[in-house]
Amino acid sequence: MATAAPAKDPLLEATLRELADIAMPQPVSLMPQTWAWAVLGCAVLLLIAFACWRWYRRWEANRYRREALADLKEIEGRLTAPATRGEALVALPILLKRTALVLWPRETIAGLHGTGWTGFLDAHSGGPVFPIASARFFEEAEYRGSAALCAVPEPEARAYAAAARHWIEAHHVRA
């Protein structure tokens, strides 16, 4: 038995014939509509470029600090063994002088020794970096041999390395 087709509503059929696809709007342009927005965009880009340039200059200017800290890390690794502790302790003041020679003229740094040297280190670190025992070590280390420095206990040697690290990280050039 065949089923009869449902009756069609003439109004519904007329409405269905008039239907059309949904009209999509044109994509919105991301270009600025006025010249002021374009100027503001350029100004922001210039500020970002300037900030990146300044950051890069500072990063490059502090390369010597990063290299000194890498050398210091290697020296700190040698402080654990008594056999290499003397050599590592001899290298600490040398590292500080090398670091100072990057910023200050050789005539200023090369002749410093003893209390003049530790005074210079304290004066350019924003305050006293070296406690009295550490200051005495950095004043006399160049005159001791590595054999004599092997007898320095490890905690004391680590304190000297910590003072050197603090100076490398905190030193500044006074105008």
Side-chain angles (χ1 to χ4, degrees):
M1 174 159 122
T3 59
K8 295 187 179 178
D9 183 12
L11 184 60
L12 177 64
E13 282 192 24
T15 306
L16 288 175
R17 276 191 297 265
E18 290 179 15
L19 284 178
D21 286 339
I22 297 174
M24 297 299 290
Q26 292 295 321
V28 177
S29 172
L30 296 178
M31 292 300 294
Q33 299 299 313
T34 63
W35 64 271
W37 284 112
V39 170
L40 181 65
C42 289
V44 167
L45 287 176
L46 285 174
L47 283 173
I48 290 172
F50 179 71
C52 290
W53 176 73
R54 289 280 311 247
W55 173 83
Y56 179 74
R57 280 190 56 209
R58 181 183 294 280
W59 186 76
E60 277 297 314
N62 283 317
R63 175 185 289 177
Y64 76 97
R65 280 185 209 260
R66 291 189 305 276
E67 290 174 358
L69 288 170
D71 290 347
L72 182 62
K73 188 173 185 170
E74 188 268 326
I75 289 170
E76 287 173 333
R78 294 187 299 167
L79 289 176
T80 56
T84 58
R85 189 174 303 140
E87 293 172 7
L89 288 174
V90 167
L92 273 178
I94 294 169
L95 176 64
L96 289 181
K97 279 236 178 162
R98 240 184 33 224
T99 304
L101 282 169
V102 172
L103 290 178
W104 290 278
R106 181 171 290 282
E107 297 80 28
T108 304
I109 302 299
L112 292 176
H113 57 86
T115 56
W117 173 236
T118 55
F120 172 84
L121 294 174
D122 281 340
H124 291 88
S125 66
V129 173
F130 304 103
I132 293 171
S134 294
R136 196 166 33 254
F137 166 77
F138 282 100
E139 291 168 2
E140 301 170 357
E142 7 182 38
Y143 306 112
R144 295 184 191 175
S146 63
L149 292 173
C150 285
V152 173
E154 183 180 348
E156 192 176 328
R158 292 217 173 270
Y160 300 151
R165 175 176 296 282
H166 178 73
W167 188 84
I168 291 170
E169 290 172 347
H171 73 272
H172 59 278
V173 179
R174 265 197 200 150

PDB file of all heavy atoms in Angstrom, residues 85-117:
ATOM      1  N   ARG A  85      92.910  22.739  45.858  1.00  0.00           N
ATOM      2  CA  ARG A  85      92.417  23.924  46.558  1.00  0.00           C
ATOM      3  C   ARG A  85      93.418  25.066  46.496  1.00  0.00           C
ATOM      4  O   ARG A  85      93.049  26.224  46.309  1.00  0.00           O
ATOM      5  CB  ARG A  85      92.094  23.582  48.013  1.00  0.00           C
ATOM      6  CG  ARG A  85      91.389  24.716  48.722  1.00  0.00           C
ATOM      7  CD  ARG A  85      90.939  24.332  50.116  1.00  0.00           C
ATOM      8  NE  ARG A  85      90.070  23.172  50.042  1.00  0.00           N
ATOM      9  CZ  ARG A  85      90.102  22.163  50.915  1.00  0.00           C
ATOM     10  NH1 ARG A  85      90.925  22.185  51.929  1.00  0.00           N
ATOM     11  NH2 ARG A  85      89.298  21.139  50.771  1.00  0.00           N
ATOM     12  N   GLY A  86      94.703  24.768  46.641  1.00  0.00           N
ATOM     13  CA  GLY A  86      95.725  25.817  46.604  1.00  0.00           C
ATOM     14  C   GLY A  86      95.737  26.550  45.272  1.00  0.00           C
ATOM     15  O   GLY A  86      95.762  27.785  45.227  1.00  0.00           O
ATOM     16  N   GLU A  87      95.701  25.786  44.175  1.00  0.00           N
ATOM     17  CA  GLU A  87      95.685  26.403  42.846  1.00  0.00           C
ATOM     18  C   GLU A  87      94.425  27.237  42.643  1.00  0.00           C
ATOM     19  O   GLU A  87      94.466  28.314  42.036  1.00  0.00           O
ATOM     20  CB  GLU A  87      95.762  25.330  41.766  1.00  0.00           C
ATOM     21  CG  GLU A  87      97.072  24.583  41.732  1.00  0.00           C
ATOM     22  CD  GLU A  87      97.009  23.404  40.773  1.00  0.00           C
ATOM     23  OE1 GLU A  87      95.994  23.261  40.052  1.00  0.00           O
ATOM     24  OE2 GLU A  87      97.979  22.632  40.750  1.00  0.00           O
ATOM     25  N   ALA A  88      93.306  26.723  43.139  1.00  0.00           N
ATOM     26  CA  ALA A  88      92.049  27.449  42.995  1.00  0.00           C
ATOM     27  C   ALA A  88      92.088  28.751  43.784  1.00  0.00           C
ATOM     28  O   ALA A  88      91.613  29.789  43.305  1.00  0.00           O
ATOM     29  CB  ALA A  88      90.886  26.577  43.460  1.00  0.00           C
ATOM     30  N   LEU A  89      92.644  28.724  44.989  1.00  0.00           N
ATOM     31  CA  LEU A  89      92.715  29.940  45.803  1.00  0.00           C
ATOM     32  C   LEU A  89      93.679  30.961  45.202  1.00  0.00           C
ATOM     33  O   LEU A  89      93.469  32.161  45.339  1.00  0.00           O
ATOM     34  CB  LEU A  89      93.100  29.597  47.243  1.00  0.00           C
ATOM     35  CG  LEU A  89      91.990  28.913  48.046  1.00  0.00           C
ATOM     36  CD1 LEU A  89      92.511  28.475  49.405  1.00  0.00           C
ATOM     37  CD2 LEU A  89      90.797  29.827  48.202  1.00  0.00           C
ATOM     38  N   VAL A  90      94.728  30.495  44.549  1.00  0.00           N
ATOM     39  CA  VAL A  90      95.641  31.413  43.862  1.00  0.00           C
ATOM     40  C   VAL A  90      94.914  32.072  42.690  1.00  0.00           C
ATOM     41  O   VAL A  90      95.144  33.247  42.373  1.00  0.00           O
ATOM     42  CB  VAL A  90      96.912  30.667  43.379  1.00  0.00           C
ATOM     43  CG1 VAL A  90      97.712  31.492  42.397  1.00  0.00           C
ATOM     44  CG2 VAL A  90      97.783  30.282  44.569  1.00  0.00           C
ATOM     45  N   ALA A  91      94.009  31.332  42.058  1.00  0.00           N
ATOM     46  CA  ALA A  91      93.296  31.851  40.889  1.00  0.00           C
ATOM     47  C   ALA A  91      92.235  32.894  41.251  1.00  0.00           C
ATOM     48  O   ALA A  91      91.872  33.710  40.399  1.00  0.00           O
ATOM     49  CB  ALA A  91      92.647  30.693  40.128  1.00  0.00           C
ATOM     50  N   LEU A  92      91.734  32.896  42.493  1.00  0.00           N
ATOM     51  CA  LEU A  92      90.679  33.849  42.868  1.00  0.00           C
ATOM     52  C   LEU A  92      91.113  35.306  42.719  1.00  0.00           C
ATOM     53  O   LEU A  92      90.432  36.082  42.046  1.00  0.00           O
ATOM     54  CB  LEU A  92      90.210  33.578  44.300  1.00  0.00           C
ATOM     55  CG  LEU A  92      89.119  32.545  44.472  1.00  0.00           C
ATOM     56  CD1 LEU A  92      88.809  32.347  45.953  1.00  0.00           C
ATOM     57  CD2 LEU A  92      87.877  32.922  43.733  1.00  0.00           C
ATOM     58  N   PRO A  93      92.219  35.742  43.341  1.00  0.00           N
ATOM     59  CA  PRO A  93      92.610  37.149  43.163  1.00  0.00           C
ATOM     60  C   PRO A  93      92.960  37.497  41.711  1.00  0.00           C
ATOM     61  O   PRO A  93      92.710  38.613  41.259  1.00  0.00           O
ATOM     62  CB  PRO A  93      93.830  37.311  44.063  1.00  0.00           C
ATOM     63  CG  PRO A  93      93.866  36.127  44.937  1.00  0.00           C
ATOM     64  CD  PRO A  93      93.076  35.056  44.279  1.00  0.00           C
ATOM     65  N   ILE A  94      93.511  36.523  41.001  1.00  0.00           N
ATOM     66  CA  ILE A  94      93.843  36.753  39.590  1.00  0.00           C
ATOM     67  C   ILE A  94      92.562  37.005  38.796  1.00  0.00           C
ATOM     68  O   ILE A  94      92.513  37.913  37.952  1.00  0.00           O
ATOM     69  CB  ILE A  94      94.629  35.554  39.015  1.00  0.00           C
ATOM     70  CG1 ILE A  94      95.997  35.461  39.701  1.00  0.00           C
ATOM     71  CG2 ILE A  94      94.770  35.644  37.511  1.00  0.00           C
ATOM     72  CD1 ILE A  94      96.756  34.188  39.407  1.00  0.00           C
ATOM     73  N   LEU A  95      91.523  36.230  39.088  1.00  0.00           N
ATOM     74  CA  LEU A  95      90.235  36.417  38.418  1.00  0.00           C
ATOM     75  C   LEU A  95      89.662  37.798  38.718  1.00  0.00           C
ATOM     76  O   LEU A  95      89.156  38.474  37.825  1.00  0.00           O
ATOM     77  CB  LEU A  95      89.256  35.323  38.848  1.00  0.00           C
ATOM     78  CG  LEU A  95      87.841  35.438  38.294  1.00  0.00           C
ATOM     79  CD1 LEU A  95      87.850  35.300  36.773  1.00  0.00           C
ATOM     80  CD2 LEU A  95      86.942  34.395  38.918  1.00  0.00           C
ATOM     81  N   LEU A  96      89.754  38.246  39.963  1.00  0.00           N
ATOM     82  CA  LEU A  96      89.242  39.570  40.309  1.00  0.00           C
ATOM     83  C   LEU A  96      90.018  40.672  39.586  1.00  0.00           C
ATOM     84  O   LEU A  96      89.429  41.632  39.096  1.00  0.00           O
ATOM     85  CB  LEU A  96      89.290  39.789  41.824  1.00  0.00           C
ATOM     86  CG  LEU A  96      88.287  38.971  42.634  1.00  0.00           C
ATOM     87  CD1 LEU A  96      88.422  39.299  44.115  1.00  0.00           C
ATOM     88  CD2 LEU A  96      86.882  39.207  42.170  1.00  0.00           C
ATOM     89  N   LYS A  97      91.338  40.530  39.496  1.00  0.00           N
ATOM     90  CA  LYS A  97      92.132  41.541  38.776  1.00  0.00           C
ATOM     91  C   LYS A  97      91.779  41.550  37.301  1.00  0.00           C
ATOM     92  O   LYS A  97      91.643  42.610  36.686  1.00  0.00           O
ATOM     93  CB  LYS A  97      93.635  41.276  38.954  1.00  0.00           C
ATOM     94  CG  LYS A  97      94.167  41.782  40.266  1.00  0.00           C
ATOM     95  CD  LYS A  97      95.304  42.731  40.062  1.00  0.00           C
ATOM     96  CE  LYS A  97      95.709  43.212  41.453  1.00  0.00           C
ATOM     97  NZ  LYS A  97      96.992  43.790  41.518  1.00  0.00           N
ATOM     98  N   ARG A  98      91.642  40.362  36.720  1.00  0.00           N
ATOM     99  CA  ARG A  98      91.279  40.284  35.301  1.00  0.00           C
ATOM    100  C   ARG A  98      89.923  40.937  35.048  1.00  0.00           C
ATOM    101  O   ARG A  98      89.743  41.647  34.060  1.00  0.00           O
ATOM    102  CB  ARG A  98      91.223  38.802  34.887  1.00  0.00           C
ATOM    103  CG  ARG A  98      92.170  38.451  33.816  1.00  0.00           C
ATOM    104  CD  ARG A  98      92.076  37.038  33.326  1.00  0.00           C
ATOM    105  NE  ARG A  98      90.755  36.464  33.358  1.00  0.00           N
ATOM    106  CZ  ARG A  98      90.494  35.233  33.786  1.00  0.00           C
ATOM    107  NH1 ARG A  98      91.470  34.462  34.221  1.00  0.00           N
ATOM    108  NH2 ARG A  98      89.270  34.776  33.788  1.00  0.00           N
ATOM    109  N   THR A  99      88.994  40.704  35.957  1.00  0.00           N
ATOM    110  CA  THR A  99      87.662  41.293  35.821  1.00  0.00           C
ATOM    111  C   THR A  99      87.741  42.806  35.943  1.00  0.00           C
ATOM    112  O   THR A  99      87.100  43.538  35.184  1.00  0.00           O
ATOM    113  CB  THR A  99      86.713  40.712  36.887  1.00  0.00           C
ATOM    114  OG1 THR A  99      86.706  39.285  36.762  1.00  0.00           O
ATOM    115  CG2 THR A  99      85.309  41.235  36.718  1.00  0.00           C
ATOM    116  N   ALA A 100      88.522  43.298  36.891  1.00  0.00           N
ATOM    117  CA  ALA A 100      88.657  44.745  37.090  1.00  0.00           C
ATOM    118  C   ALA A 100      89.347  45.402  35.897  1.00  0.00           C
ATOM    119  O   ALA A 100      89.020  46.536  35.532  1.00  0.00           O
ATOM    120  CB  ALA A 100      89.428  45.030  38.372  1.00  0.00           C
ATOM    121  N   LEU A 101      90.275  44.698  35.271  1.00  0.00           N
ATOM    122  CA  LEU A 101      90.998  45.269  34.126  1.00  0.00           C
ATOM    123  C   LEU A 101      90.097  45.502  32.912  1.00  0.00           C
ATOM    124  O   LEU A 101      90.460  46.255  32.015  1.00  0.00           O
ATOM    125  CB  LEU A 101      92.176  44.369  33.739  1.00  0.00           C
ATOM    126  CG  LEU A 101      93.405  44.506  34.640  1.00  0.00           C
ATOM    127  CD1 LEU A 101      94.406  43.397  34.342  1.00  0.00           C
ATOM    128  CD2 LEU A 101      94.043  45.869  34.473  1.00  0.00           C
ATOM    129  N   VAL A 102      88.950  44.862  32.886  1.00  0.00           N
ATOM    130  CA  VAL A 102      88.024  45.080  31.767  1.00  0.00           C
ATOM    131  C   VAL A 102      87.468  46.500  31.815  1.00  0.00           C
ATOM    132  O   VAL A 102      87.321  47.151  30.780  1.00  0.00           O
ATOM    133  CB  VAL A 102      86.879  44.051  31.801  1.00  0.00           C
ATOM    134  CG1 VAL A 102      85.816  44.383  30.775  1.00  0.00           C
ATOM    135  CG2 VAL A 102      87.420  42.656  31.574  1.00  0.00           C
ATOM    136  N   LEU A 103      87.181  47.011  33.009  1.00  0.00           N
ATOM    137  CA  LEU A 103      86.537  48.316  33.142  1.00  0.00           C
ATOM    138  C   LEU A 103      87.489  49.466  33.435  1.00  0.00           C
ATOM    139  O   LEU A 103      87.246  50.589  33.018  1.00  0.00           O
ATOM    140  CB  LEU A 103      85.485  48.273  34.254  1.00  0.00           C
ATOM    141  CG  LEU A 103      84.250  47.448  33.963  1.00  0.00           C
ATOM    142  CD1 LEU A 103      83.326  47.452  35.157  1.00  0.00           C
ATOM    143  CD2 LEU A 103      83.530  47.968  32.748  1.00  0.00           C
ATOM    144  N   TRP A 104      88.511  49.224  34.202  1.00  0.00           N
ATOM    145  CA  TRP A 104      89.410  50.299  34.620  1.00  0.00           C
ATOM    146  C   TRP A 104      90.733  50.198  33.878  1.00  0.00           C
ATOM    147  O   TRP A 104      91.161  49.112  33.483  1.00  0.00           O
ATOM    148  CB  TRP A 104      89.636  50.222  36.126  1.00  0.00           C
ATOM    149  CG  TRP A 104      88.422  50.593  36.909  1.00  0.00           C
ATOM    150  CD1 TRP A 104      88.002  51.854  37.221  1.00  0.00           C
ATOM    151  CD2 TRP A 104      87.446  49.714  37.449  1.00  0.00           C
ATOM    152  NE1 TRP A 104      86.833  51.800  37.937  1.00  0.00           N
ATOM    153  CE2 TRP A 104      86.456  50.502  38.091  1.00  0.00           C
ATOM    154  CE3 TRP A 104      87.288  48.321  37.464  1.00  0.00           C
ATOM    155  CZ2 TRP A 104      85.367  49.955  38.740  1.00  0.00           C
ATOM    156  CZ3 TRP A 104      86.188  47.783  38.108  1.00  0.00           C
ATOM    157  CH2 TRP A 104      85.241  48.604  38.733  1.00  0.00           C
ATOM    158  N   PRO A 105      91.402  51.327  33.702  1.00  0.00           N
ATOM    159  CA  PRO A 105      92.687  51.303  32.978  1.00  0.00           C
ATOM    160  C   PRO A 105      93.740  50.486  33.722  1.00  0.00           C
ATOM    161  O   PRO A 105      93.727  50.396  34.946  1.00  0.00           O
ATOM    162  CB  PRO A 105      93.095  52.774  32.927  1.00  0.00           C
ATOM    163  CG  PRO A 105      91.960  53.565  33.449  1.00  0.00           C
ATOM    164  CD  PRO A 105      90.998  52.659  34.102  1.00  0.00           C
ATOM    165  N   ARG A 106      94.626  49.916  32.955  1.00  0.00           N
ATOM    166  CA  ARG A 106      95.696  49.092  33.518  1.00  0.00           C
ATOM    167  C   ARG A 106      96.518  49.873  34.535  1.00  0.00           C
ATOM    168  O   ARG A 106      96.936  49.333  35.552  1.00  0.00           O
ATOM    169  CB  ARG A 106      96.591  48.577  32.386  1.00  0.00           C
ATOM    170  CG  ARG A 106      97.710  47.686  32.845  1.00  0.00           C
ATOM    171  CD  ARG A 106      98.426  47.029  31.694  1.00  0.00           C
ATOM    172  NE  ARG A 106      97.641  46.030  31.020  1.00  0.00           N
ATOM    173  CZ  ARG A 106      97.428  44.794  31.471  1.00  0.00           C
ATOM    174  NH1 ARG A 106      97.935  44.430  32.605  1.00  0.00           N
ATOM    175  NH2 ARG A 106      96.721  43.941  30.793  1.00  0.00           N
ATOM    176  N   GLU A 107      96.729  51.159  34.295  1.00  0.00           N
ATOM    177  CA  GLU A 107      97.530  51.971  35.215  1.00  0.00           C
ATOM    178  C   GLU A 107      96.867  52.053  36.590  1.00  0.00           C
ATOM    179  O   GLU A 107      97.548  52.189  37.598  1.00  0.00           O
ATOM    180  CB  GLU A 107      97.721  53.392  34.664  1.00  0.00           C
ATOM    181  CG  GLU A 107      98.487  53.462  33.360  1.00  0.00           C
ATOM    182  CD  GLU A 107      97.621  53.135  32.140  1.00  0.00           C
ATOM    183  OE1 GLU A 107      96.386  53.358  32.168  1.00  0.00           O
ATOM    184  OE2 GLU A 107      98.182  52.621  31.161  1.00  0.00           O
ATOM    185  N   THR A 108      95.556  51.998  36.613  1.00  0.00           N
ATOM    186  CA  THR A 108      94.826  52.088  37.883  1.00  0.00           C
ATOM    187  C   THR A 108      94.858  50.767  38.633  1.00  0.00           C
ATOM    188  O   THR A 108      95.028  50.743  39.847  1.00  0.00           O
ATOM    189  CB  THR A 108      93.354  52.476  37.624  1.00  0.00           C
ATOM    190  OG1 THR A 108      93.329  53.690  36.886  1.00  0.00           O
ATOM    191  CG2 THR A 108      92.583  52.644  38.901  1.00  0.00           C
ATOM    192  N   ILE A 109      94.734  49.674  37.933  1.00  0.00           N
ATOM    193  CA  ILE A 109      94.550  48.364  38.569  1.00  0.00           C
ATOM    194  C   ILE A 109      95.860  47.630  38.804  1.00  0.00           C
ATOM    195  O   ILE A 109      96.058  47.040  39.864  1.00  0.00           O
ATOM    196  CB  ILE A 109      93.632  47.473  37.693  1.00  0.00           C
ATOM    197  CG1 ILE A 109      92.295  48.133  37.485  1.00  0.00           C
ATOM    198  CG2 ILE A 109      93.464  46.093  38.293  1.00  0.00           C
ATOM    199  CD1 ILE A 109      91.517  48.393  38.738  1.00  0.00           C
ATOM    200  N   ALA A 110      96.760  47.652  37.858  1.00  0.00           N
ATOM    201  CA  ALA A 110      97.947  46.790  37.918  1.00  0.00           C
ATOM    202  C   ALA A 110      98.804  47.041  39.148  1.00  0.00           C
ATOM    203  O   ALA A 110      99.366  46.104  39.719  1.00  0.00           O
ATOM    204  CB  ALA A 110      98.777  46.961  36.655  1.00  0.00           C
ATOM    205  N   GLY A 111      98.902  48.262  39.594  1.00  0.00           N
ATOM    206  CA  GLY A 111      99.764  48.560  40.735  1.00  0.00           C
ATOM    207  C   GLY A 111      99.111  48.344  42.087  1.00  0.00           C
ATOM    208  O   GLY A 111      99.779  48.459  43.123  1.00  0.00           O
ATOM    209  N   LEU A 112      97.836  48.016  42.116  1.00  0.00           N
ATOM    210  CA  LEU A 112      97.152  47.838  43.399  1.00  0.00           C
ATOM    211  C   LEU A 112      97.514  46.500  44.032  1.00  0.00           C
ATOM    212  O   LEU A 112      97.532  45.468  43.377  1.00  0.00           O
ATOM    213  CB  LEU A 112      95.636  47.918  43.209  1.00  0.00           C
ATOM    214  CG  LEU A 112      95.070  49.277  42.812  1.00  0.00           C
ATOM    215  CD1 LEU A 112      93.577  49.169  42.557  1.00  0.00           C
ATOM    216  CD2 LEU A 112      95.341  50.299  43.891  1.00  0.00           C
ATOM    217  N   HIS A 113      97.787  46.539  45.324  1.00  0.00           N
ATOM    218  CA  HIS A 113      98.044  45.315  46.088  1.00  0.00           C
ATOM    219  C   HIS A 113      97.767  45.617  47.555  1.00  0.00           C
ATOM    220  O   HIS A 113      97.617  46.777  47.958  1.00  0.00           O
ATOM    221  CB  HIS A 113      99.489  44.837  45.884  1.00  0.00           C
ATOM    222  CG  HIS A 113     100.502  45.867  46.264  1.00  0.00           C
ATOM    223  ND1 HIS A 113     100.957  46.028  47.547  1.00  0.00           N
ATOM    224  CD2 HIS A 113     101.118  46.826  45.538  1.00  0.00           C
ATOM    225  CE1 HIS A 113     101.811  47.032  47.592  1.00  0.00           C
ATOM    226  NE2 HIS A 113     101.940  47.542  46.375  1.00  0.00           N
ATOM    227  N   GLY A 114      97.665  44.590  48.350  1.00  0.00           N
ATOM    228  CA  GLY A 114      97.456  44.758  49.783  1.00  0.00           C
ATOM    229  C   GLY A 114      96.159  45.477  50.107  1.00  0.00           C
ATOM    230  O   GLY A 114      95.123  45.245  49.495  1.00  0.00           O
ATOM    231  N   THR A 115      96.240  46.380  51.067  1.00  0.00           N
ATOM    232  CA  THR A 115      95.032  47.101  51.497  1.00  0.00           C
ATOM    233  C   THR A 115      94.511  48.041  50.413  1.00  0.00           C
ATOM    234  O   THR A 115      93.325  48.328  50.371  1.00  0.00           O
ATOM    235  CB  THR A 115      95.300  47.901  52.785  1.00  0.00           C
ATOM    236  OG1 THR A 115      96.401  48.774  52.562  1.00  0.00           O
ATOM    237  CG2 THR A 115      95.590  46.976  53.947  1.00  0.00           C
ATOM    238  N   GLY A 116      95.390  48.510  49.548  1.00  0.00           N
ATOM    239  CA  GLY A 116      94.936  49.342  48.425  1.00  0.00           C
ATOM    240  C   GLY A 116      94.020  48.562  47.491  1.00  0.00           C
ATOM    241  O   GLY A 116      93.020  49.088  46.998  1.00  0.00           O
ATOM    242  N   TRP A 117      94.369  47.299  47.266  1.00  0.00           N
ATOM    243  CA  TRP A 117      93.568  46.454  46.388  1.00  0.00           C
ATOM    244  C   TRP A 117      92.208  46.160  47.010  1.00  0.00           C
ATOM    245  O   TRP A 117      91.171  46.303  46.367  1.00  0.00           O
ATOM    246  CB  TRP A 117      94.322  45.167  46.080  1.00  0.00           C
ATOM    247  CG  TRP A 117      93.556  44.143  45.316  1.00  0.00           C
ATOM    248  CD1 TRP A 117      93.329  42.869  45.676  1.00  0.00           C
ATOM    249  CD2 TRP A 117      92.909  44.303  44.052  1.00  0.00           C
ATOM    250  NE1 TRP A 117      92.585  42.215  44.729  1.00  0.00           N
ATOM    251  CE2 TRP A 117      92.312  43.081  43.709  1.00  0.00           C
ATOM    252  CE3 TRP A 117      92.759  45.359  43.171  1.00  0.00           C
ATOM    253  CZ2 TRP A 117      91.584  42.880  42.544  1.00  0.00           C
ATOM    254  CZ3 TRP A 117      92.043  45.160  41.998  1.00  0.00           C
ATOM    255  CH2 TRP A 117      91.470  43.940  41.690  1.00  0.00           C
TER     256      TRP A 117
END
